[in-house]
Amino acid sequence: MLLNGQKALITGGSRGIGREIALQFLKNGASVYYIDLAPGDSLEEYQRIAAENGGTAVYKEGNVADEQTITAVVEEILEQSGGIDVLVNNAGITRDGLVFRMTAQDWNDVLTINLTSAFYISKAISRSMIKRRSGSIINVASIVGVIGNAGQTNYSASKAGLIGFTKSLAREVAGRNVRVNAVAPGFINTKMTEKLNDEQRDVLRAQIPMNRIGDPEEVAKVILFLASDLASYVTGQVIHITGGMGM
Ligand code: NAP
């Protein structure tokens, strides 16, 4: 029960990595508020696990890219929860293509959803954490933000930006006992990577020293560690979860 009685906010929490984060947090005694475009089919399961472990699970609809909407949703969650202890900026998208073919729309959508949204949400939440002198923010970046990837200039720029954002915010709030870290997953089995065909998977596996694609649960467990008091002296860090890719 690493998060007993704590309240967490997760963006993009209805499926993929966000869903595993919600499950790990709920199993560890947290109450989970999650924001997504649609509830998906996870809410009933979340509520059952929450009831078994002394927490609650609450879904809020919201597009993280829309400043006005998301700020209102976050304020509502802050009021309803009485304060958020853990924020995970997880919502993200890809719009891949070589740069000379990429539209400005694809560039802007990725930058806004993956990076600017973390600014909108962290702004409101960190203010409240500073007042409470406690909190943990975890940003879900990507190994592609560290080593780059052909066909993903928009995505890797957004994730590299998120890493810079993490380190700067960590320096701003560390003195108030608020920790800010990032994780940089490699290739993880979710809807985001399901488009890869067998040949592409083989090429990828060859770049991974552990020779396999990761599971969302393996990302969520590291995020659980960063959220909890086990990481009480860890801030401004980027933890790679890649099976050894990009050491
Ligand atoms: P996913 O399965 O596609 O899930 C992403 C979630 O974010 C979905 O629930 C999606 O909602 C939500 N979302 C997307 N745009 C949103 C918006 N504008 N407002 C609110 N919610 C929105 O992807 P994933 O693989 O779990 O990725 C989660 C995070 O991990 C992302 O930041 C991704 O970049 C990062 N990551 C993933 C991998 C990987 O290999 N999978 C590797 C490194 C980093 P809908 O279901 O309604 O679309």
Side-chain angles (χ1 to χ4, degrees):
M1 285 290 187
L2 290 173
L3 299 178
N4 212 4
Q6 300 218 21
K7 289 157 190 160
L9 169 56
I10 304 166
T11 67
S14 68
R15 65 177 164 86
I17 292 171
R19 177 184 144 81
E20 290 302 324
I21 301 167
L23 291 173
Q24 289 294 330
F25 282 13
L26 289 166
K27 286 177 190 166
N28 278 276
S31 287
V32 167
Y33 294 77
Y34 69 104
I35 299 174
D36 215 307
L37 297 170
D41 46 20
S42 300
L43 184 56
E44 235 174 81
E45 186 186 5
Y46 290 174
Q47 285 173 335
R48 179 178 53 75
I49 296 172
E52 286 166 8
N53 293 282
T56 52
V58 179
Y59 167 69
K60 298 280 180 191
E61 188 176 315
N63 178 355
V64 295
D66 178 340
E67 183 178 12
Q68 230 178 336
T69 313
I70 206 62
T71 306
V73 171
V74 169
E75 290 300 340
E76 193 184 309
I77 291 172
L78 279 171
E79 205 175 299
Q80 206 174 322
S81 62
I84 288 293
D85 303 290
V86 179
L87 164 65
V88 187
N89 287 308
N90 165 74
I93 61 162
T94 52
R95 294 280 184 275
D96 296 351
L98 296 174
V99 76
F100 61 85
R101 287 199 201 114
M102 188 175 288
T103 63
Q105 173 96 44
D106 284 347
W107 174 271
N108 288 328
D109 284 353
V110 169
L111 266 290
T112 309
I113 292 174
N114 295 6
L115 174 60
T116 312
S117 72
F119 158 67
Y120 296 150
I121 299 168
S122 304
K123 183 174 172 175
I125 296 287
S126 66
R127 190 187 293 135
S128 139
M129 286 177 170
I130 286 167
K131 277 196 201 137
R132 292 154 55 95
R133 298 283 195 276
S134 155
S136 174
I137 298 175
I138 299 116
N139 295 319
V140 181
S142 166
I143 192 63
V144 164
V146 181
I147 64 175
N149 196 22
Q152 290 199 306
T153 50
N154 50 359
Y155 184 76
S156 57
S158 73
K159 296 301 187 179
L162 199 52
I163 289 171
F165 176 77
T166 300
K167 293 180 181 179
S168 297
L169 183 59
R171 288 183 186 276
E172 286 184 16
V173 298
R176 304 297 160 97
N177 196 35
V178 179
R179 299 181 295 104
V180 190
N181 291 288
V183 293
F187 288 93
I188 309 296
N189 267 318
T190 68
K191 200 167 175 191
M192 192 175 264
T193 46
E194 74 182 2
K195 311 163 222 173
L196 299 171
N197 61 35
D198 285 349
E199 199 188 330
Q200 287 169 315
R201 281 172 189 270
D202 288 344
V203 171
L204 278 175
R205 253 194 301 272
Q207 299 170 40
I208 304 170
M210 287 184 77
N211 200 30
R212 66 175 177 85
I213 291 174
D215 287 326
E217 193 183 336
E218 294 177 294
V219 177
K221 283 180 175 166
V222 177
I223 292 175
L224 172 65
F225 160 74
L226 289 171
S228 78
D229 268 352
L230 290 178
S232 56
Y233 200 49
V234 180
T235 197
Q237 302 306 304
V238 183
I239 314 267
H240 294 193
I241 312 167
T242 61
M245 196 184 163
M247 284 180 203

